[in-house]
Amino acid sequence: MSDKRFNRRNFLKIMGAAGVATGAGVMMPKEVLLARAEKSGKGRQRYEVKPGELDDYYGFWSGGHSGEIRIIGVPSMREIKRIPVFNWDVGTGWGITNESKKLLRGRNFGDTHHVHGSYKNGTYDGKWLFVNDKLNNRVARIRIDYMEVDAIVDVPNIQGAHGLFPQRYPKTEWVVLNSEFQTPVPNDASNKKAFLNPQEYYGMHTIIDAERMSIVCQVMVDENCDLAATDYKGKYSMCTSYNIEKGVTISEMLASDYDYLIIFHWGRIRDALRKGKYKRVNGVKVIDGRKGHSDITLRIPVPKNPHGVNISPDGRYAVCCGKVSPTVTVVDLEKVDLAFEGKIKPEDCIVAQPYIGLGPLHTTFDGRGNAITSVFIDSTNVKWNIAKAIEAEKKGPEEKKKNPHIVDVLDIHYQVGHIMATMAETKEADGKWLISLNKVSKDRFLNAGPFKVENDQLVDISGEKLRLVHDSPAYIEPHDCIMVRRDIIEPKVKHRHEMFEHPLAVTKNSVERKGNKVIIRMTANAPVFGLQEVRVKKGDKVTLIVTNHDEIIDLTNGVAISNYNINFVIAPFQTKSVTFTADKPGVFWIYCTNFCHALHLEMRMRLIVEA
Amino acid sequence: MKRILLLILFLCLSYPVSGYGQWKFFEHRYKYELKDVLKADRFVKKDGYWEGYRDGKLVGYVFLSKDWTAKLVGYSGKHMETLVGMDTKGVLTGVKLIFHSEPIVLIGLKEKNYLKFLEQYPGKSIRKDLSVGKEISMDAITGATVTAVVQNAIILGSARKVAALTGMIEYVEGPERKVSREYSRLTWKELLDMGALKKITVTYKDLGIEGRGVYIDLYFGVITPPSIGRNILGDRVYAETMKSLKKGESAIVVFSRGEGSFKGAGFARGGVFDRFNISQEDRVYVFRDMDYRFLTEIKAEGAPEIKEGGVFIVRARDFKEARPFKFNLVIPYRVGGKKEFKAFSAEYRVPDRFLHSAK
């Protein structure tokens, strides 16, 4: 594969060929519908959420290159809200207000892939969400009580900030972030040799302090660091790596027949930090985790170009998907310590490598010993039993060929990426619903032009068989999601802000001038702004601070300044501010944009800019 | 030094701005005299009310609502200050609005409509059950249900408190009883049979409108006894609700089946539930959205699906959950194009088995 010209067709051919070689002669069960026509119960859950009813799960979806997070009710699949994160949101004013600008620091685009919740004892604590920005290499934290971003940390020395996972036990103190693209370290063109030589590009496993939202350290490796996971004992984090070759072209990245699941030893990372075994690069403590240089990392060889790594809810197994191989690799985490101590070889931690289908990408769990893996090229979700796969591996190749582990295969529409079951990334995986985040919707919705949305399919996994029950279109472009039981989130979410949490909360209307700086402090109380008019002079630097004094639930006000390209909303008891230069003389109506009252249209005032 | 002083002066330059924007537009304040509501030639100030004398003889009382029911607020979030006159028998002699900011203009009403609504009070006895939709007509301010319900509560609440204070009406209050913390598992049928839940049924026939059978079946009850609350709400919602209660607060559950709605939409922007309230002795309690938690299902074994539901916190400390209270429901409906209202009520008392015995 030295051909420089490479296209999608060839790529699929390669992947297909690998699949046929291993999967030859395998009969795949394709039955979709259940024979029993039960109205409810196992395998027949009610998925209709009637008017006035509420969903059982909060779904948190990443937004891909829209840069946002979405809250989706499951099983109704109703989109409840969008949380702007790394994007400009002209509706809420995210990226426009001073508060959001301070967090975004001038970068209003992002690419969110993996959203995960904070944990306590292996399950969600309902405090925070974390999400990566692959585009600008950041991590944002969302506080669940307000469902708003409250911190963003920039991560230096990396590109392709991809896999992200919070610590699961005993609670989320650390969040790990993988860099999928290897780069020179530091990447500032200062070292000409490294700059030009891909062999001196490195991947990073970054550890972030969840509370402070600052970087604890980075573990530097030769390989790229793709998807991420943490164990259930607070001992390890891990990444899959598909470019151990340090390739910069697809053919180079596909050169090796194997790649790695890399496991990071947290105890040894703490030791290195304590003993000062790091160097500082761009202010960050960088620990050398390269093969042969470090005892922090363990490399378990897996078939070439693996994709997702997911941990079974009992905490025992890491399941690493093959992507280019039609298999998944099951790693027994109880053996990892022995491998770190050198008592067994890294590959001895592998307890099964069952056949799944062409292009397995991600695995999720039903909490009853079964795994469900998304299979991209076949366009299927494959349910398989972990214990049976391990047993067949022990019995040998003949038994393996019978594929006794496979329970059911569901056709999905089409080309699934991530897959996630309810509560599946916790020890409380409940095996109720599954979302298949399909990359291609093709013919599943009304044709809305050449650029088509994705198709998130809802699957009932409560029974033996997988049952497809609903298609929902998804705009650009969720990668992954989690679904959290309502009882965990609901008690944490507030109806109104704590007014004085914002240091500038306004209780008295005033206009204050300091030189050419004007500060307007104003209340909003539907249908009235606290001021009727404000006079400034052309060229004044104006800061408008507004506090919503309505405490009634859902009474949000908007504040927009005509022709000044400014708009933001303020929820009950919330304060936001915006600073702008009054560069256009004239009369400009400031009006409420968020329907608030029968006299909403009358809720307006004048900004008078004198020449 | 001089330059610094100048600079400070310069920095402090700011100009005063007029109050709170256009709020004044919604505010209506009226002048009043005590004799506006009671024919008397002499008034003697007492603590919280005036005695009115005519020819040296006590003929009644005059009081300001904000001294008695200031916590009752209308659609505007503000109390409607009312001057009330009452004779020594408990018959209202006059009612005068002295301040309000109810935005009745929004529903096409004029100030005079509001004043007309108040004209029906003089001559009515507070010993009677004066509820909106029954003895108190909403005709003058049709549509302003929150305003009407709260205004009614303000007048009656204030008057009954003064009546009690002046010895006009008496309560024989039993000894204070406490809710038992014991829990036993109870089914839907058991809860109904023992009166832990009370029911108000309104049929289409009751309203005189087209339709067959039941328009709304409404259930309500006090939920603080675990044997009621936990069985109805389930462990989680019960625990969360109880945890959210401050000392002295109580909680009731209200839910319904059928086409009719007890929640209505008044709370969506006004924050006040205008179709129901509860009353106990001289006090009326209305609920706001801050007192409300959405409820979609009843957990008790054998319970039916519900259409609407909510847990409502009684914030006022003077509500005694172990004593009887009344649930008042106002149902709006349409006859042709005309909006009508009808009121229904039912008495509730926590079953004895959930109370500690009186000492």
Side-chain angles (χ1 to χ4, degrees), chain A residues 6 8 20 37 103 155 164 193 207 214 269-270 278 299 341 343 391 394 484 501 527 534 539 554 569 587:
Chain A
F6 204 88
R8 186 180 167 90
V20 170
L103 293 172
V155 184
L164 170 144
K193 206 173 121 252
I207 296 174
S214 61
I269 290 173
R270 288 196 183 94
Y278 54 80
R299 288 166 178 78
E341 287 159 19
K343 289 177 182 158
E391 196 184 304
K394 274 187 203 150
V484 185
E501 217 171 90
V534 174
D554 199 12
V569 298
V587 170

Side-chain angles (χ1 to χ4, degrees), chain B residues 343-357:
Chain B
F344 303 86
S345 57
E347 198 168 89
Y348 182 92
R349 137 194 328 261
V350 175
D352 257 7
R353 60 179 284 186
F354 305 127
L355 300 174
H356 288 301
S357 52

Side-chain angles (χ1 to χ4, degrees), chain A residues 113-129:
Chain A
H113 284 224
H114 306 108
V115 52
H116 288 288
S118 53
Y119 286 83
K120 197 176 174 187
N121 293 330
T123 192
Y124 300 120
D125 65 1
K127 196 172 177 190
W128 289 315
L129 299 172

Side-chain angles (χ1 to χ4, degrees), chain A residues 154-412:
Chain A
D154 287 284
V155 184
N157 304 327
I158 66 161
Q159 276 176 33
H162 189 214
L164 170 144
F165 216 99
Q167 180 179 356
R168 281 192 255 227
Y169 183 88
K171 66 175 187 146
T172 300
E173 287 173 350
W174 284 1
V175 175
V176 299
L177 176 75
N178 290 330
S179 65
E180 188 188 334
F181 308 149
Q182 290 125 309
T183 58
V185 178
N187 184 18
D188 55 5
S190 58
N191 182 342
K192 250 195 181 134
K193 206 173 121 252
F195 183 50
L196 296 170
N197 177 14
Q199 288 308 306
E200 293 192 38
Y201 294 0
Y202 301 99
M204 288 282 190
H205 186 66
T206 301
I207 296 174
I208 293 163
D209 185 309
E211 177 86 38
R212 294 197 184 100
M213 282 298 274
S214 61
I215 297 163
V216 175
C217 67
Q218 293 182 311
V219 183
M220 188 181 89
V221 294
D222 283 305
E223 302 82 357
N224 74 331
C225 299
D226 192 12
L227 286 136
T230 59
D231 70 342
Y232 278 85
K233 289 181 173 171
K235 288 168 75 175
Y236 318 117
S237 54
M238 51 204 91
C239 76
T240 50
S241 175
Y242 64 77
N243 189 20
I244 69 167
E245 301 90 340
K246 294 201 173 206
V248 290
T249 64
I250 283 183
S251 52
E252 287 168 12
M253 293 179 206
L254 281 164
S256 170
D257 276 340
Y258 67 91
D259 285 282
Y260 289 133
L261 170 68
I262 305 177
I263 302 185
F264 298 84
H265 193 298
W266 283 18
R268 294 181 182 177
I269 290 173
R270 288 196 183 94
D271 274 348
L273 287 173
R274 215 168 15 242
K275 290 174 185 161
K277 284 188 184 170
Y278 54 80
K279 56 177 182 176
R280 281 193 185 265
V281 183
N282 285 317
V284 174
K285 294 169 184 169
V286 176
I287 299 168
D288 193 341
R290 287 177 296 165
K291 197 174 185 180
H293 292 74
S294 164
D295 64 352
I296 283 170
T297 45
L298 180 76
R299 288 166 178 78
I300 297 174
V302 292
K304 71 163 35 171
N305 291 58
H307 202 59
V309 53
N310 300 87
I311 313 298
S312 58
D314 59 5
R316 178 80 188 262
Y317 303 108
V319 178
C320 185
C321 284
K323 190 168 80 182
V324 173
S325 158
T327 60
V328 297
T329 300
V330 181
V331 170
D332 186 346
L333 293 175
E334 287 184 4
K335 297 188 173 184
V336 166
D337 270 346
L338 294 175
F340 263 113
E341 287 159 19
K343 289 177 182 158
I344 58 170
K345 287 185 200 146
E347 50 267 42
D348 293 339
C349 299
I350 297 171
V351 289
Q353 216 153 41
Y355 173 86
I356 298 294
L358 303 187
L361 292 187
H362 300 278
T363 296
T364 191
F365 306 93
D366 69 359
R368 298 186 290 269
N370 300 303
I372 303 139
T373 297
S374 64
V375 184
F376 181 77
I377 297 171
D378 279 348
S379 282
T380 55
N381 291 340
V382 175
K383 176 177 174 180
W384 54 281
N385 185 278
I386 301 170
K388 282 187 179 160
I390 295 169
E391 196 184 304
E393 191 79 35
K394 274 187 203 150
K395 286 184 180 165
E398 281 307 307
E399 180 65 15
K400 261 185 89 173
K401 263 186 203 165
K402 295 181 200 157
N403 285 330
H405 60 291
I406 291 183
V407 181
D408 192 23
V409 177
L410 173 71
D411 285 327
I412 53 81

Side-chain angles (χ1 to χ4, degrees), chain B residues 5-258:
Chain B
L5 269 175
L6 266 174
L7 190 67
I8 290 170
L9 270 175
F10 190 64
L11 286 176
C12 295
L13 258 185
S14 63
Y15 60 90
V17 287
S18 53
Y20 282 83
Q22 276 202 317
W23 269 116
K24 285 226 151 29
F25 174 75
F26 294 102
E27 294 178 352
H28 299 266
R29 191 169 283 284
Y30 297 93
K31 285 186 179 148
Y32 67 92
E33 289 183 76
L34 299 182
K35 63 182 181 195
D36 291 347
V37 294
L38 181 73
K39 277 182 194 151
D41 49 34
R42 189 166 63 94
F43 291 95
V44 177
K45 179 98 180 73
K46 297 281 171 181
D47 191 14
Y49 62 95
W50 290 268
E51 287 173 346
Y53 293 87
R54 196 162 57 224
D55 305 327
K57 193 183 156 210
L58 179 69
V59 289
Y61 307 93
V62 175
F63 41 92
L64 285 165
S65 64
K66 70 171 180 186
D67 292 333
W68 299 99
T69 52
K71 279 187 182 160
L72 289 176
V73 293
Y75 195 92
S76 59
K78 291 188 181 144
H79 180 66
M80 295 94 96
E81 288 179 50
T82 315
L83 183 75
V84 184
M86 173 172 67
D87 71 12
T88 51
K89 301 255 172 1
V91 175
L92 295 169
T93 55
V95 170
K96 185 164 189 186
L97 196 57
I98 55 178
F99 171 82
H100 82 95
S101 59
E102 294 295 282
I104 56 168
V105 60
L106 302 183
I107 49 172
L109 293 176
K110 296 206 166 68
E111 195 63 8
K112 66 177 185 192
N113 297 109
Y114 195 170
L115 303 182
K116 194 166 167 55
F117 170 77
L118 297 173
E119 282 174 12
Q120 59 188 318
Y121 284 92
K124 289 199 163 66
S125 168
I126 60 148
R127 292 164 194 271
K128 287 199 175 144
D129 172 28
L130 301 181
S131 53
V132 175
K134 278 185 184 163
E135 296 78 7
I136 302 300
S137 157
M138 277 195 53
D139 285 354
I141 50 171
T142 298
T145 42
V146 176
T147 306
V149 164
V150 175
Q151 180 67 67
N152 189 55
I154 285 173
I155 295 170
L156 296 182
S158 305
R160 287 179 182 154
K161 281 178 181 174
V162 172
L165 195 73
T166 56
M168 208 186 299
I169 52 178
E170 268 180 46
Y171 303 126
V172 184
E173 291 189 351
E176 190 73 25
R177 293 179 73 181
K178 288 264 182 285
V179 161
S180 154
R181 305 312 304 165
E182 272 166 41
Y183 170 75
S184 52
R185 198 179 167 81
L186 297 167
T187 65
W188 167 253
K189 194 175 173 302
E190 287 166 334
L191 288 164
L192 274 186
D193 289 348
M194 67 181 60
L197 287 171
K198 276 283 165 65
K199 183 174 160 188
I200 297 176
T201 297
V202 179
T203 62
Y204 287 93
K205 208 175 155 194
D206 290 334
L207 300 175
I209 56 172
E210 208 172 300
R212 285 167 66 93
V214 172
Y215 178 71
I216 184 170
D217 258 340
L218 177 138
Y219 301 84
F220 67 97
V222 168
I223 55 143
T224 34
S227 296
I228 305 179
R230 264 179 73 187
N231 282 305
I232 291 173
L233 305 179
D235 292 350
R236 170 174 81 93
V237 178
Y238 178 72
E240 286 173 13
T241 303
M242 294 307 286
K243 210 178 137 196
S244 75
L245 293 184
K246 295 191 185 80
K247 199 172 184 310
E249 293 180 343
S250 322
I252 62 167
V253 66
V254 186
F255 53 93
S256 71
R257 292 163 59 76

